[in-house]
Amino acid sequence: MNSKINLRLLAALMLAAALPLCVLGAPLGDAVTDLPPEESSGEGEKEVQTKPSPTDPFNITETLAQILKVTKGHKEEFKNEFRGNVDYNSLNRTLIPVKFPKSKEARLQQLAQDLTTYSVLLKHVDKEYPGKSIVTELKAALPRLITKIKRAMRTADHVVALTSSQELQLLKELESLDSYHRKMMAHGVLSSLHDFLVEWKRELTKRRVRKTQISDRHETEAD
């Protein structure tokens, strides 16, 4: 994909991803860092639940791992489709730059908001590859993950869906591409989403381990 198209689409993506965060004036920098666990109703949950961790009571990290089992097969599917004629590494794999805000509440909001944007982008992938199993699974899995993240937040209403005009603008930019670049963008969405989930799983796991170590150390000192 040429640089002009890349820049135009990146601008549209960043606009769509950032605007909702500004709509309600969410206080990202001052958000509370330690959140008490909330009860989960379990409504709409279909995946098999593992025992929640005290530092991850909503199994967000585990759910990320489950979704990664779906997205990891995309690279092989891409290679099978293009049979070496297109390099997988040529795809734009950073459609939405990964950001890790300082506070826990802000991190959860950022993760949920970016996943909301990816949910819209999947509509483009679905249109280019109707019935593709990986897309079907992701369309079901992402909303469940977003719901879990919101349950872990104090200000879940700060995570808002793209407005119809934002969604239209984003998808219109993708539709304006020629057939080849539409397919490349569809694959770019899947590869970018995979890398996005990998980075977030690594970050959340690192923080969970650190929190567990601190908790264990405090218990040891108290004995």
Side-chain angles (χ1 to χ4, degrees), residues 193-223:
L193 175 58
H194 176 76
D195 290 352
F196 173 89
L197 295 173
V198 167
E199 290 298 319
W200 269 102
K201 180 177 178 294
R202 181 181 296 121
E203 175 70 11
L204 295 179
T205 299
K206 179 179 67 177
R207 290 181 178 276
R208 185 175 65 179
V209 169
R210 184 184 306 160
K211 189 172 182 179
T212 299
Q213 290 173 339
I214 292 174
S215 178
D216 291 344
R217 184 165 63 249
H218 287 169
E219 289 180 3
T220 301
E221 293 173 351
D223 291 340

Side-chain angles (χ1 to χ4, degrees), residues 104-118:
K104 181 177 180 179
E105 180 80 357
R107 285 195 300 276
L108 292 173
Q109 182 185 346
Q110 186 71 59
L111 175 57
Q113 197 64 67
D114 288 345
L115 287 171
T116 298
T117 303
Y118 270 114

Side-chain angles (χ1 to χ4, degrees), residues 36-175:
E38 301 173 9
E39 293 185 3
S40 171
S41 66
E43 294 178 1
E45 299 297 332
K46 296 181 180 179
E47 72 267 24
V48 176
Q49 298 289 340
T50 57
K51 185 178 180 180
S53 163
T55 56
D56 187 12
F58 295 92
N59 277 343
I60 293 173
T61 307
E62 174 63 24
T63 304
L64 279 169
Q66 292 173 358
I67 298 176
L68 279 169
K69 293 178 182 179
V70 177
T71 59
K72 73 177 182 179
H74 169 249
K75 184 175 182 179
E76 193 62 31
E77 288 187 7
F78 179 88
K79 290 182 176 180
N80 290 337
E81 178 178 349
F82 294 98
R83 300 183 181 279
N85 293 315
V86 181
D87 185 0
Y88 180 79
N89 292 322
S90 68
L91 294 173
N92 185 343
R93 297 167 64 182
T94 54
L95 290 176
I96 301 178
V98 180
K99 301 176 183 178
F100 303 126
K102 184 177 180 180
S103 73
K104 181 177 180 179
E105 180 80 357
R107 285 195 300 276
L108 292 173
Q109 182 185 346
Q110 186 71 59
L111 175 57
Q113 197 64 67
D114 288 345
L115 287 171
T116 298
T117 303
Y118 270 114
S119 294
V120 174
L121 290 173
L122 283 176
K123 295 182 180 181
H124 171 73
V125 186
D126 196 28
K127 188 169 184 179
E128 289 300 309
Y129 293 93
K132 192 177 184 67
S133 61
I134 185 173
V135 181
T136 300
E137 292 184 58
L138 287 172
K139 284 169 62 179
L142 291 192
R144 293 200 293 269
L145 175 56
I146 293 171
T147 296
K148 283 189 173 187
I149 297 170
K150 287 183 176 181
R151 288 173 181 162
M153 294 177 63
R154 284 181 172 171
T155 54
D157 59 332
H158 286 178
V159 180
V160 295
L162 301 184
T163 65
S164 56
S165 60
Q166 288 169 350
E167 182 173 326
L168 181 63
Q169 176 187 358
L170 183 56
L171 295 177
K172 186 176 180 180
E173 288 288 351
L174 302 180
E175 284 300 310

